[in-house]
Amino acid sequence: MSASVRNADNRSVERWRWLFYVALAFAGALLTFVGARAQQKTSDDATFRKLIDEYCAAWSTGTADAPAKFYAKDNGLVFYDVAPFAYHSWKEYHEGVQKEFLEGASEIKLTAGKDLKVTRRGMIAWTTVPMHLMEKSKDGKTSESARDVQDAAVLLERGTGLSLQAMEKPLRAVAL
């Protein structure tokens, strides 16, 4: 075999070796990206589970002041709930919920189900979760099963964290 044929063979082997290393580096980068994405989803699920549980605990205090920290209060936001359905400012929502639901209750307990779904796209996230509301009125009557709902929230990440922009039954406003 002549020297020129050997040199051509060596160049061919070197090209294939270089392509193999590039493919190996690409596969490694892809695996790193997939692993990081899965880790972020796990972290997001835990973050939103904690947020939803804190949100339920705040509403379970029986006052509209406790959950206020979870809600965005920007002008122009509309808050949706079961009755009267739409409130056209945070102040209107706060006063309406206090009057319609909380003043007549001696005890309220809001709990989130296990089936929390979180979808996140950049600074916006939305969640759905089944919720159960137990309400004991001041006259001693207890209402439970009629209040099982599928709750949805739209959250916006701001400098101070997540803020509910919309969340209720079916959608209401909150800050992240």
Side-chain angles (χ1 to χ4, degrees):
M1 202 187 265
S2 73
S4 64
V5 172
R6 269 186 255 140
N7 283 341
D9 285 344
N10 284 342
R11 277 185 251 135
S12 178
V13 168
E14 288 299 318
R15 281 187 196 125
W16 282 108
R17 187 177 294 157
W18 182 83
L19 283 173
F20 173 73
Y21 290 139
V22 168
L24 190 61
F26 182 74
L30 188 61
L31 284 173
T32 300
F33 175 75
V34 168
R37 188 78 178 118
Q39 186 177 15
Q40 179 186 3
K41 174 144 180 48
T42 301
S43 174
D44 276 355
D45 288 352
T47 298
F48 284 98
R49 171 53 64 186
K50 183 176 184 268
L51 181 71
I52 295 294
D53 289 345
E54 289 173 357
Y55 172 84
C56 288
W59 275 112
S60 296
T61 64
T63 175
D65 294 327
K69 68 182 179 182
F70 295 100
Y71 287 84
K73 295 162 189 73
D74 302 14
N75 290 331
L77 288 178
V78 178
F79 297 81
Y80 297 96
D81 215 316
V82 223
F85 186 68
Y87 299 90
H88 296 279
S89 69
W90 168 253
K91 183 178 183 218
E92 187 179 303
Y93 179 70
H94 179 276
E95 292 170 0
V97 168
Q98 187 69 41
K99 181 181 177 198
E100 291 285 329
F101 301 105
L102 303 175
E103 284 180 2
S106 66
E107 179 184 353
I108 286 184
K109 182 161 174 91
L110 182 64
T111 53
K114 301 286 183 216
D115 194 20
L116 172 64
K117 302 289 184 210
V118 177
T119 305
R120 189 171 188 142
R121 299 289 185 269
M123 294 175 44
I124 297 174
W126 55 97
T127 63
T128 59
V129 64
M131 291 206 179
H132 179 79
L133 176 64
M134 184 284 299
E135 178 182 355
K136 187 180 281 187
S137 65
K138 290 185 178 174
D139 62 8
K141 294 180 184 172
T142 301
S143 169
E144 284 194 55
S145 59
R147 296 293 186 154
D148 286 329
V149 294
Q150 182 71 22
D151 199 51
V154 176
L155 303 109
L156 176 64
E157 192 164 9
R158 297 176 171 192
T160 58
L162 292 174
S163 168
L164 280 169
Q165 296 298 310
M167 187 162 181
E168 272 318 316
K169 295 80 179 158
L171 200 59
R172 87 177 133 248
V174 185
L176 296 183

